[in-house]
């Protein structure tokens, strides 16, 4: 693939398909929430929130399959190493399937432990258990899908990633509505619809990836044989991914702590947080368009050994990211009340959510620097910095939340906002050293 130009037009051209594709991810969660929320049952809505938290914690523990794949693929592409680009695809998909199969086998241990750790209660556990059990069916496909998406993003093939995400999420939405409203399967139907959609994504994604990799890819991979599992390549892969895994666990713990804090306040606050987190998810996923673009551009700049491209990639993606954060903050403030009313019929949940709306509106603005810096360091495959920043931010967040606990729900949201500041400051401290570490090589034509 020819070198991508570093202009505002090219950055936006690369980012908009990611933004559109990412917007469909929380849309699925929004549809799930509406399907349950329109029943008027706060307990059912809170149960889906609890189940989603458990699944996100479990699956996204292995989010390195997406993040590590993007940075390492982009660096291989920037260095012009076609064989390694193909090898990364094979390694990532195989690793995702194996890890997912292990999760599926271990669910008899994982699920009871998860429900023991989260403060839900008997009613909420019953509503969430069917959803969680159904989602584990899709674990191998879901984790392999992480790797394919990461590979596509690393190559800057954002339109292909968009096609894959839209196809998967449309299948998901249709099946969720069919299973819940037509067959009356409740929360279990939501989980089953998502699992089947994940298997569909793996099939479609494999076809797309092989087409992009070019004719003769399968033959080339067979010819590489044992080279796919080269010791040095695997050592680097596992070293980077181990740090990203720790980073991901720390951040998942942070959001699980936030969800559990809502559960401690009662069913209505937990349900209201689930409604408000739909706004946060939409903003985060769409702004990730610029963070993911940064991952690709940063990785390619490092692979090519260009400090100038590295700095320009940061500046251009940063301009877009901060501007989008401001826009989302304003949109949430202006349209948030209508959005809350569209999601749930429960008056108590509505009132509670509306009282906290302005905290939610600040998340995209305050969170934008942290999300962008994540993209920079993921593209650079600097796992140690990502790990240390996440551990520090999570520890400081927990301390802040405990300190603000007497203030109830507002204190919870102030602590969450502070967590983004902690993470941005921690990663920002590593940025000068990262810039100095880029070895300058002559620019490729």
């Amino acid at each position: 693939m020819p070198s991508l130009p570093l202009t505002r037009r090219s950055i936006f051209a690369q980012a908009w398909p990611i933004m559109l594709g990412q917007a469909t991810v929380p849309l699925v969660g929004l549809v799930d929430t509406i399907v349950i929320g329109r029943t008027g049952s706060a307990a059912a809505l809170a149960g889906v929130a609890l189940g989603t938290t458990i699944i996100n914690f479990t699956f996204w523990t292995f989010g390195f399959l997406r993040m590590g794949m993007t940075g390492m693929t982009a660096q291989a592409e920037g260095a012009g190493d076609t064989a390694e680009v193909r090898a990364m695809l094979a390694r990532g998909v195989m690793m995702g399937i194996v890890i997912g199969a292990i999760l599926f086998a271990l669910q008899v241990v994982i699920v009871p432990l998860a429900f023991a750790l989260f403060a839900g209660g008997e009613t909420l556990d019953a509503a969430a258990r069917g959803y969680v059990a159904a989602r584990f069916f899709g674990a191998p496909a879901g984790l392999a899908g992480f790797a394919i998406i990461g590979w596509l993003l690393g190559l800057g093939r954002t339109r292909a990633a968009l096609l894959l995400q839209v196809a998967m999420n449309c299948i998901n939405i249709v099946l969720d509505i069919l299973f819940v409203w037509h067959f009356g399967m409740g929360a279990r139907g939501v989980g089953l619809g998502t699992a089947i959609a994940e298997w569909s994504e793996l099939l479609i994604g494999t076809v797309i990836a092989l087409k992009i990799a070019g004719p003769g890819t399968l033959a080339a991979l067979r010819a590489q044989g044992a080279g796919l599992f080269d010791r040095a390549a695997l050592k680097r892969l596992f070293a980077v991914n181990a740090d990203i895994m720790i980073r991901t666990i720390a951040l998942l713990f942070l959001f699980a702590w936030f969800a559990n804090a809502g559960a401690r306040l009662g069913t209505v606050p937990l349900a209201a947080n689930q409604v408000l987190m739909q706004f946060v998810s939409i903003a985060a996923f769409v702004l990730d368009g610029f963070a993911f673009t940064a991952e690709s551009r940063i990785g390619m700049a490092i692979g090519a050994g260009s400090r100038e491209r590295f700095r320009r990639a940061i500046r251009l993606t940063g301009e877009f990211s901060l501007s989008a954060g401001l826009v989302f903050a304003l949109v949430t403030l202006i349209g948030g009340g209508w959005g809350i009313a569209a999601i749930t019929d429960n008056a108590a949940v509505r009132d509670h959510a509306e009282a906290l709306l302005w905290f939610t509106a600040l998340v995209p603005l305050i969170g934008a620097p942290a999300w962008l810096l994540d993209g920079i360091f993921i593209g650079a495959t600097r796992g140690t910095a990502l790990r240390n920043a996440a551990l520090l931010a999570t520890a400081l967040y927990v301390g802040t939340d405990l300190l603000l606990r007497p203030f109830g729900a507002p204190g919870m949201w102030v602590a969450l906002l502070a967590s983004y500041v902690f993470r941005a400051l921690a990663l920002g401290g590593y940025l000068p050293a990262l810039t100095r570490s880029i070895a300058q090589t002559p620019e490729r034509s």
Side-chain angles (χ1 to χ4, degrees):
M1 187 172 70
S3 178
L4 297 172
L6 261 174
T7 63
R8 289 182 180 84
R9 177 175 292 183
S10 71
I11 290 291
F12 187 75
Q14 186 176 345
W16 75 257
I18 308 175
M19 295 166 66
L20 188 57
Q22 288 293 97
T24 67
V25 176
L27 178 61
V28 174
L30 182 61
V31 170
D32 293 348
T33 302
I34 291 174
V35 166
I36 302 297
R38 298 301 293 183
T39 66
S41 171
L45 184 58
V48 170
L50 185 60
T52 301
T53 299
I54 291 170
I55 286 296
N56 286 345
F57 192 98
T58 304
F59 284 20
W60 275 103
T61 293
F62 305 96
F64 61 77
L65 289 164
R66 204 288 299 163
M67 292 176 280
M69 184 66 61
T70 299
M72 297 179 80
T73 300
Q75 288 178 30
E77 176 70 10
D81 191 345
T82 302
E84 181 61 15
V85 169
R86 289 170 168 172
M88 285 300 303
L89 174 63
R91 291 184 197 122
V93 171
M94 286 188 287
M95 188 182 297
I97 291 173
V98 170
I99 293 173
I102 292 172
L103 284 179
F104 180 76
L106 292 179
Q107 65 177 297
V108 293
V109 176
I110 296 171
V111 174
L113 179 61
F115 279 100
L117 289 175
F118 289 93
E122 188 174 333
T123 302
L124 298 186
D125 287 359
R129 197 171 291 273
Y131 171 85
V132 171
R135 284 297 307 274
F136 270 97
F137 170 70
L143 297 191
F146 286 175
I148 292 175
I149 290 291
W151 187 82
L152 292 172
L153 294 177
L155 294 178
R157 298 286 188 148
T158 55
R159 295 190 184 190
L162 169 63
L163 174 62
L164 180 56
Q165 286 181 287
V166 169
M168 183 266 189
N169 292 326
C170 286
I171 293 170
N172 193 355
I173 289 171
V174 170
L175 290 177
D176 285 356
I177 293 173
L178 178 67
F179 290 155
V180 175
W181 285 351
H182 183 71
F183 292 111
M185 296 174 67
R188 181 173 177 272
V190 172
L192 185 60
T194 303
I196 294 173
E198 286 169 333
W199 282 104
S200 302
E201 178 191 36
L202 177 58
L203 177 62
I204 298 169
T206 300
V207 173
I208 291 174
L210 289 176
K211 184 176 181 181
I212 288 174
T217 294
L218 290 176
L221 291 174
R222 282 195 296 268
Q224 282 184 266
L228 287 174
F229 305 98
D230 174 72
R231 185 174 180 179
L234 287 177
K235 184 178 180 181
R236 181 178 180 237
L237 180 66
F238 282 111
V240 171
N241 286 343
D243 284 332
I244 294 178
M245 181 177 182
I246 295 170
R247 169 257 183 202
T248 304
I249 292 173
L251 295 182
L252 287 171
F253 177 83
L254 187 156
F255 285 102
W257 182 283
F258 178 79
N260 204 37
R264 282 195 302 268
L265 293 177
T267 298
V268 168
L270 177 60
N273 281 349
Q274 171 69 358
V275 172
L276 291 174
M277 287 304 290
Q278 304 310 310
F279 296 98
V280 174
S281 294
I282 291 171
F285 276 115
V286 173
L287 263 66
D288 272 346
F290 299 114
F292 289 1
T293 300
E295 291 178 25
S296 173
R297 296 309 186 99
I298 292 297
M300 289 183 182
I302 291 175
S306 176
R307 194 176 297 169
E308 180 183 351
R309 290 187 188 180
F310 173 82
R311 286 174 170 154
R312 184 166 175 80
I314 292 175
R315 181 167 64 82
L316 294 181
T317 54
E319 289 175 3
F320 279 112
S321 185
L322 292 173
S323 299
L326 178 59
V327 169
F328 266 98
L330 293 174
V331 169
T332 303
L333 278 176
I334 295 170
W338 174 86
I340 292 169
I343 292 172
T344 180
D345 284 338
N346 188 287
V349 173
R350 281 186 182 182
D351 291 344
H352 198 89
E354 288 175 0
L356 299 169
L357 182 63
W358 74 277
F359 291 107
T360 309
L362 288 174
V363 171
L365 185 60
I366 293 177
W371 295 327
L372 179 64
L373 283 163
D374 269 349
I376 292 168
F377 282 87
I378 288 169
T381 60
R382 294 306 194 268
T384 300
L386 289 161
R387 178 197 67 201
N388 292 346
L391 288 172
L392 178 61
T394 300
L396 292 174
Y397 160 74
V398 170
T400 304
D401 180 72
L402 292 173
L403 193 66
L404 297 177
R405 188 161 291 179
F407 297 96
M412 284 175 50
W413 280 89
V414 170
L416 182 66
L417 291 170
S419 73
Y420 291 107
V421 177
F422 299 147
R423 183 149 47 115
L425 291 175
L427 283 173
Y430 284 99
L431 193 55
L434 172 59
T435 305
R436 291 192 300 268
S437 73
I438 299 174
Q440 293 279 45
T441 60
E443 291 279 338
R444 292 183 177 85
S445 58

